[in-house]
Amino acid sequence: YLKSLDLKLTLHIDNQTIISRISQLTQKTNQFNLTTKRYTEFDIKKFMEDKKYKVFAFNVKDKFGDYGITGLCIVLVDYPNRKAEIDTFLMSCRVIGRKVDFSFSDFIIEHLKELGVELLEAKYIKSLKNEQVVNFYERIGFELINGNESEKSYRLKLSNYKPKCLEYIKVEDGKKN
């Protein structure tokens, strides 16, 4: 079924033309939201202007239509120590189940490798509605460091990451369009 959808993922990094939508996603996304942090447009703009942060977003289209900007990941990069930490990872419920989260993760991790990052850290913080992503980081290959019912900490050595490379999802760089 997923192959028949003709999925296309367009990826964006620090794209200031979509700040409003990115902020809106942080305000409204609950189910597929690993930390449920809420940010204003001003916050997102500050992240994009700060060289220590990378703001990744994606747009999804399929044979039925364009779902718009439906995914976000904000990463804090510690260049001197070759480490990074995921601040926010979320995806709109409109595209859950299509496995675009795997292709998005592949892209983010590849980009971080290009920046010289060797270790990526992340957290899951439980909310009233995000139970479905309680094991997301484990599913994409992160190692659980510690945790309890309400919060888990993860780490991934990027050289150990195995990309999912889902061939039925066409991935495009938003800058090249």
Side-chain angles (χ1 to χ4, degrees):
Y1 168 73
L2 291 174
K3 289 178 184 171
S4 74
L5 290 177
D6 197 23
L7 287 160
K8 184 164 74 169
L9 194 64
T10 304
L11 299 151
H12 305 275
I13 303 172
D14 297 329
N15 183 338
Q16 294 204 4
T17 67
I18 57 175
I19 286 174
S20 177
R21 175 62 181 149
I22 289 172
S23 172
Q24 186 182 69
L25 278 170
T26 72
Q27 300 294 325
K28 295 182 176 187
T29 305
N30 295 306
Q31 292 177 23
F32 197 114
N33 191 334
L34 281 291
T35 56
T36 319
K37 293 179 180 179
R38 309 299 187 188
Y39 292 117
T40 65
E41 288 183 33
F42 180 75
D43 296 327
I44 300 300
K45 188 173 189 327
K46 278 180 57 179
F47 286 136
M48 288 185 182
E49 291 172 349
D50 186 335
K51 297 290 182 214
K52 294 181 300 217
Y53 284 90
K54 288 290 172 192
V55 179
F56 300 92
F58 69 79
N59 180 86
V60 176
K61 290 180 186 176
D62 66 18
K63 68 180 181 181
F64 298 110
D66 187 338
Y67 298 90
I69 301 296
T70 46
L72 170 67
C73 183
I74 300 171
V75 179
L76 171 61
V77 182
D78 178 355
Y79 292 97
N81 293 306
R82 304 174 76 81
K83 290 182 356 182
E85 181 180 355
I86 295 175
D87 173 87
T88 300
F89 194 111
L90 61 81
M91 196 171 71
S92 168
C93 60
R94 289 187 281 171
V95 295
I96 290 175
R98 293 166 190 226
K99 301 192 190 270
V100 292
D101 43 323
F102 293 118
S103 293
F104 189 43
S105 298
D106 287 352
F107 175 80
I108 292 164
I109 290 169
E110 188 56 39
H111 187 79
L112 292 173
K113 283 181 180 179
E114 290 171 10
L115 295 176
V117 173
E118 295 174 355
L119 187 68
L120 181 58
E121 297 173 341
K123 279 189 178 11
Y124 163 79
I125 301 171
K126 184 178 181 176
S127 72
L128 292 173
K129 296 182 178 179
N130 73 350
E131 183 70 26
Q132 75 175 354
V133 293
V134 66
N135 296 317
F136 172 73
Y137 286 122
E138 292 160 59
R139 285 196 314 267
I140 62 171
F142 279 73
E143 170 191 3
L144 178 64
I145 308 287
N146 60 53
N148 53 45
E149 280 188 28
S150 60
E151 187 171 323
K152 294 181 178 186
S153 296
Y154 294 93
R155 151 175 74 211
L156 174 67
K157 192 173 180 183
L158 297 193
S159 61
N160 293 341
Y161 182 72
K162 292 177 179 40
K164 306 300 177 266
C165 300
L166 301 173
E167 266 123 52
Y168 61 86
I169 299 174
K170 183 179 179 193
V171 178
E172 296 180 344
D173 187 331
K175 289 186 296 192
K176 295 177 182 167
N177 292 342

